[in-house]
Amino acid sequence: MEVSYREEGVASAASSVAGRLVADGVPARLAGGDPTLWGEDAEAEAAVRLGWLTLPRSSRELLPELGNLADKARAEGLSNVVVAGMGGSSLAAEVICNTADVPLTVLDTSDPAQVRRALTDRLDATVVVVASKSGSTVETDCHLRIYERLFAETGLDPAERIVVVTDPGSPLEQLAIDDGYQTVLSMPDVGGRYSALSAFGLVPAALAGVDVERLLDDAEAVLPLLSRERGNPGLDLGAALGGAALGGRDKLLLEDQLSPLVGLSDWIEQLVAESTGKQGRGILPVVGADPNRTGDELVVAIASDDGDVRVDGPLGAQFLVWEYAVAVAGLLLEINPFDQPNVAESKENTAALLALPDLPTGAPAFVDGPVEVYGAATATDLPGLFDELLRAIPADGYLSIMAYLDRLAAFDAPVPEGADFEQMTDAWMMADPATLRALLALRTDRPVTFGWGPRFLHSTGQYHKGGPQNGVFLQITGAVAEDVAVPGRPYSLGRLQLAQALGDLGALETRGRPAVRLHLTDRAAGVAHLLTAAQEA
């Protein structure tokens, strides 16, 4: 595992703060799990959130159980592995399986169409990993209820098809006991976003056919380095992140186009944003963007020469080193890297909205084709609105696009008969809401981020509300053509999804963040219209 500085300014800033960290004994104290590092206010939280430091060894106790689970699934022909979990409960498993090139369906959404895709995919060969640390995550509760009923209705025993991963004592553990579900308990002293090498990352990966022992081997190999004052990749990376941010370079561009670690940047995005975005400060991770070479950017490359910092190493080691580095960055920024004080606010807003007879969507400011525009906008069409939003970005700010839609819908786009792969890719891109990020990024030197809702609420959502007051927000929702009922709940997935969007919008507006909601009355036509307008503006 190696972290190398490739830009003199980064090296200088990192060296300065690293000297201070070493003088304070931070490497050995952090490696030893000292909860006093982040100050009195954070000590109680840190004391029960440092178990990730020993996961490369302690998670080995799970290996026999994981082997039995995988053997049983194979013997019963359960080859379609679905993980139902949000944020830290699914992101690591997704990266592990993508990197190993084994299939895994990730349900981290409340979108009815995306959930319906999973429900209709090889149900007779499906095993569902229901993953929630708290045991009360609303999206995961919905997925569990839906699958329970579907299995029962089709004559399949849910107890043979559902595996629960949760913390000891959670409501989900009790439910699993009552219903006879196979259960794997995680370490309670590991926070969700630091849980990559725990049962949350390992159970779905093992069921999908990944060699998880190799993952732990690679992580354990780097453990002895983390107490060193020199040659410590976690300290080197943390000093670079924190030192750069203290010097004003607080926009972290993650470059991974050539990396064999597929999707690692998405996992890093949550780790960095949710750990550092609080108390009006933080580091903004930007995924999938080209550098603008502005003074507030730090480009970190995963196995590439295109960054100010290069990080090389196998996936298991990367997980551990990034976790250590973000803990160090939190220390330098004088924040608690283990809490997420603003995440609950959007959840509470959503619950309050769901209790109302009707969701308060309000009246649109204007309508442009299949797109309704809600919010304080002076523009009268979409090209004008995009101009207005881009002009509203502060000199040190960013634009965030948040799409509460089916993130797989673009693959339904029609492609020309006999099209080659490049033509198919073009067709998919022009049906993908994420393309809007690239189109708007061409017209500004400020970072433009993109997140799928409600997935990002368990990730960058903390930074949006707790970080610096310099974000501009563009939210996209869509009409639901075919909803999915949630057994035992007074709402459907479509109602939940819209309530989550409105709840988060309310949290942003309460803080005075400029925010606009675009509602697509026809999803496919609406996305095409947005992309056309972005090119016309």
Side-chain angles (χ1 to χ4, degrees):
M1 186 77 201
E2 183 180 5
V3 174
S4 53
Y5 306 145
R6 313 183 74 81
E7 197 261 340
E8 186 176 342
V10 172
S12 176
S15 176
S16 175
V17 297
R20 176 155 51 95
L21 293 169
V22 167
D24 291 339
V26 168
R29 291 172 63 194
L30 176 52
D34 182 352
T36 67
L37 279 169
W38 299 272
E40 289 184 11
D41 291 342
E43 184 175 347
E45 180 84 22
V48 293
R49 287 292 178 264
L50 290 169
W52 52 273
L53 286 159
T54 58
L55 284 176
R57 292 173 181 153
S58 60
S59 285
R60 292 182 184 279
E61 298 174 7
L62 296 174
L63 292 177
E65 186 175 6
L66 297 182
N68 291 336
L69 280 174
D71 289 344
K72 182 174 183 289
R74 281 194 292 272
E76 296 176 359
L78 303 182
S79 56
N80 181 37
V81 183
V82 176
V83 58
M86 303 300 297
S89 296
S90 61
L91 278 170
E94 185 175 49
V95 178
I96 294 167
C97 290
N98 284 343
T99 297
D101 196 24
V102 299
L104 177 73
T105 297
V106 177
L107 274 187
D108 56 356
T109 182
S110 51
D111 185 79
Q114 192 171 332
V115 171
R116 193 177 294 278
R117 288 173 188 277
L119 299 176
T120 56
D121 182 20
R122 298 166 289 157
L123 186 68
D124 60 339
T126 295
V127 57
V128 182
V129 180
V130 179
S132 169
K133 181 176 175 63
S134 69
S136 59
T137 307
V138 63
E139 301 93 339
T140 307
D141 173 73
C142 291
H143 301 152
L144 173 59
R145 291 169 177 272
I146 291 166
Y147 265 107
E148 283 178 327
R149 174 168 291 185
L150 184 59
F151 283 140
E153 288 177 346
T154 52
L156 300 171
D157 183 0
E160 296 297 319
R161 302 298 184 116
I162 292 172
V163 178
V164 167
V165 181
T166 189
D167 274 8
S170 79
L172 185 55
E173 185 199 11
Q174 187 58 53
L175 182 150
I177 293 170
D178 293 343
D179 292 348
Y181 296 147
Q182 302 169 87
T183 305
V184 182
L185 296 178
S186 187
M187 303 290 288
D189 60 347
V190 179
R193 58 188 177 274
Y194 290 82
S195 65
L197 298 171
S198 76
F200 287 105
L202 301 184
V203 171
L207 284 169
V210 176
D211 180 359
V212 295
E213 186 172 6
R214 172 65 182 274
L215 198 72
L216 296 176
D217 289 344
D218 290 337
E220 188 169 6
V222 84
L223 264 181
L225 306 180
L226 299 184
S227 58
R228 293 184 181 178
E229 297 180 355
R230 294 183 180 275
N232 179 338
L235 179 66
D236 292 342
L237 181 56
L241 298 176
L246 290 174
R249 299 174 69 170
D250 59 356
K251 311 300 188 299
L252 173 63
L253 271 70
L254 295 163
E255 167 58 55
D256 67 350
Q257 291 185 17
L258 300 178
S259 173
L261 309 179
V262 183
L264 180 61
S265 289
D266 291 327
W267 176 83
I268 294 170
E269 179 184 46
Q270 184 206 11
L271 177 68
V272 172
E274 201 169 48
S275 297
T276 71
K278 54 200 74 169
Q279 297 174 225
R281 66 195 80 153
I283 299 170
L284 174 69
V286 185
V287 177
D290 293 326
N292 289 308
R293 300 303 174 189
T294 54
D296 59 351
E297 286 183 352
L298 175 71
V299 182
V300 175
I302 312 296
S304 168
D305 286 328
D306 294 335
D308 304 313
V309 179
R310 174 170 173 154
V311 184
D312 290 284
L315 184 57
Q318 292 269 2
F319 283 143
L320 186 61
V321 165
W322 276 96
E323 288 164 351
Y324 184 106
V326 169
V328 169
L331 175 59
L332 292 169
L333 294 174
E334 298 181 352
I335 53 92
N336 176 2
F338 306 113
D339 67 352
Q340 47 282 332
N342 303 110
V343 169
E345 181 178 354
S346 291
K347 295 179 183 179
E348 292 164 358
N349 288 355
T350 296
L353 289 168
L354 286 172
L356 299 175
D358 297 296
L359 295 179
T361 57
F366 67 88
V367 178
D368 188 332
V371 181
E372 298 173 344
V373 178
Y374 295 84
T378 59
T380 56
D381 60 17
L382 284 174
L385 177 70
F386 292 146
D387 281 339
E388 189 174 317
L389 291 172
L390 291 169
R391 288 197 303 269
I393 304 173
D396 62 345
Y398 65 100
L399 171 66
S400 177
I401 304 171
M402 308 164 293
Y404 289 80
L405 301 169
D406 175 1
R407 66 175 169 135
L408 302 177
F411 296 114
D412 296 334
V415 297
E417 187 175 348
D420 58 24
F421 183 73
E422 185 175 348
Q423 291 170 317
M424 288 190 291
T425 301
D426 288 343
W428 294 332
M429 284 184 60
M430 293 316 297
D432 189 350
T435 302
L436 183 61
R437 189 212 65 77
L439 293 174
L440 295 182
L442 290 172
R443 298 166 48 198
T444 179
D445 65 356
R446 304 312 308 147
V448 181
T449 67
F450 183 92
W452 294 103
R455 170 181 168 127
F456 80 86
L457 292 178
H458 301 259
S459 175
T460 51
Q462 168 63 42
Y463 183 95
H464 292 166
K465 294 176 280 289
Q469 179 89 352
N470 59 7
V472 174
F473 299 91
L474 176 61
Q475 186 185 86
I476 308 173
T477 57
V480 173
E482 193 174 1
D483 213 339
V484 175
V486 180
R489 292 290 185 243
Y491 49 79
S492 64
L493 285 183
R495 180 176 168 86
L496 171 62
Q497 183 183 42
L498 183 56
Q500 289 175 315
L502 296 176
D504 192 50
L505 195 65
L508 294 169
E509 290 173 341
T510 297
R511 289 171 168 75
R513 263 65 163 169
V516 172
R517 179 169 73 94
L518 308 182
H519 185 71
L520 314 182
T521 54
D522 178 297
R523 291 194 178 198
V527 170
H529 197 63
L530 289 179
L531 300 185
T532 298
Q535 293 175 83
E536 290 177 354

